[in-house]
């Protein structure tokens, strides 16, 4: 059974009304970036949130404003910095971040709780530059 049979013929018209032209919809309300992995033999996933977001070493990025494509480019999402944290070494990254956090210059220790979530900013030189308690 073909999936097209499950969608009523007038589905787009019911959903988008007058925005439908030639059975297509111009999404002029969308502005943002859409990215997807670049097809390369040396491309690999470097981060995954475990549910939705996957980040690849090389990605194609489409920049869109009000439904119009402004730019299509290739983005490299990993740079190996001397003395920086090696994000490709999955086994040691947690330990590398923890070591830097425990040596961070905490100014208000009573304001932090180990059971909370934190946003850790790693600067250009691979060092922790800021730690804040993440708000939900």
């Amino acid at each position: 059974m073909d999936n097209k049979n499950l969608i009523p013929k007038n589905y787009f018209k019911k959903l988008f009304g007058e925005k439908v032209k030639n059975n297509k919809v111009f999404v002029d309300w969308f502005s943002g970036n859409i990215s997807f992995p670049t097809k390369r033999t040396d491309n690999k996933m470097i981060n995954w949130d475990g549910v939705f977001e996957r980040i690849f070493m090389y990605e194609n990025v489409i920049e869109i404003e009000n439904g119009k494509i402004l730019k299509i480019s290739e983005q490299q999402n990993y740079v190996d910095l001397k003395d920086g944290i090696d994000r490709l070494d999955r086994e040691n990254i947690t330990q590398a971040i923890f070591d830097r956090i425990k040596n961070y210059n905490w100014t208000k220790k009573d304001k932090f709780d180990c059971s909370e979530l934190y946003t850790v900013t790693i600067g250009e030189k691979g060092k922790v530059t800021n730690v804040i308690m993440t708000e939900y």
Side-chain angles (χ1 to χ4, degrees):
M1 182 164 145
D2 192 36
N3 285 343
K4 290 180 183 178
N5 294 333
L6 300 176
I7 301 171
K9 291 184 184 210
N10 60 353
Y11 178 75
F12 283 131
K13 193 73 168 166
K14 281 185 173 183
L15 191 60
F16 296 107
E18 298 304 315
K19 293 214 177 267
V20 177
K21 304 285 186 226
N22 297 323
N23 214 20
K24 296 179 182 178
V25 179
F26 177 50
V27 291
D28 59 350
W29 62 88
F30 179 78
S31 294
N33 293 339
I34 298 173
S35 63
F36 52 93
T38 302
K39 289 187 178 183
R40 298 173 56 135
T41 56
D42 62 340
N43 201 5
K44 60 182 168 180
M45 186 171 35
I46 59 174
N47 193 23
W48 179 40
D49 69 3
V51 181
F52 298 107
E53 185 178 34
R54 289 179 167 95
I55 298 174
F56 289 81
M57 187 174 292
Y58 301 99
E59 295 180 334
N60 290 309
V61 179
I62 303 171
E63 295 178 38
I64 300 170
E65 186 174 312
N66 298 322
K68 294 181 181 175
I69 295 174
L70 299 180
K71 183 178 172 185
I72 300 174
S73 60
E74 185 174 296
Q75 174 73 40
Q76 182 177 346
N77 290 318
Y78 180 80
V79 176
D80 190 17
L81 295 173
K82 184 181 179 203
D83 299 325
I85 297 172
D86 182 2
R87 294 184 301 140
L88 298 179
D89 186 353
R90 298 231 180 256
E91 293 179 19
N92 293 326
I93 190 165
T94 302
Q95 188 61 46
I97 292 173
F98 179 75
D99 289 345
R100 283 164 175 81
I101 290 172
K102 76 178 181 186
N103 293 322
Y104 184 74
N105 184 20
W106 295 91
T107 56
K108 298 178 184 177
K109 292 181 182 178
D110 61 322
K111 299 287 183 192
F112 293 92
D113 178 349
C114 290
S115 67
E116 297 296 331
L117 294 176
Y118 293 89
T119 300
V120 178
T121 304
I122 300 172
E124 292 178 8
K125 296 181 180 179
K127 305 294 182 195
V128 174
T129 57
N130 194 20
V131 179
I132 60 170
M133 192 162 32
T134 305
E135 299 205 20
Y136 297 96

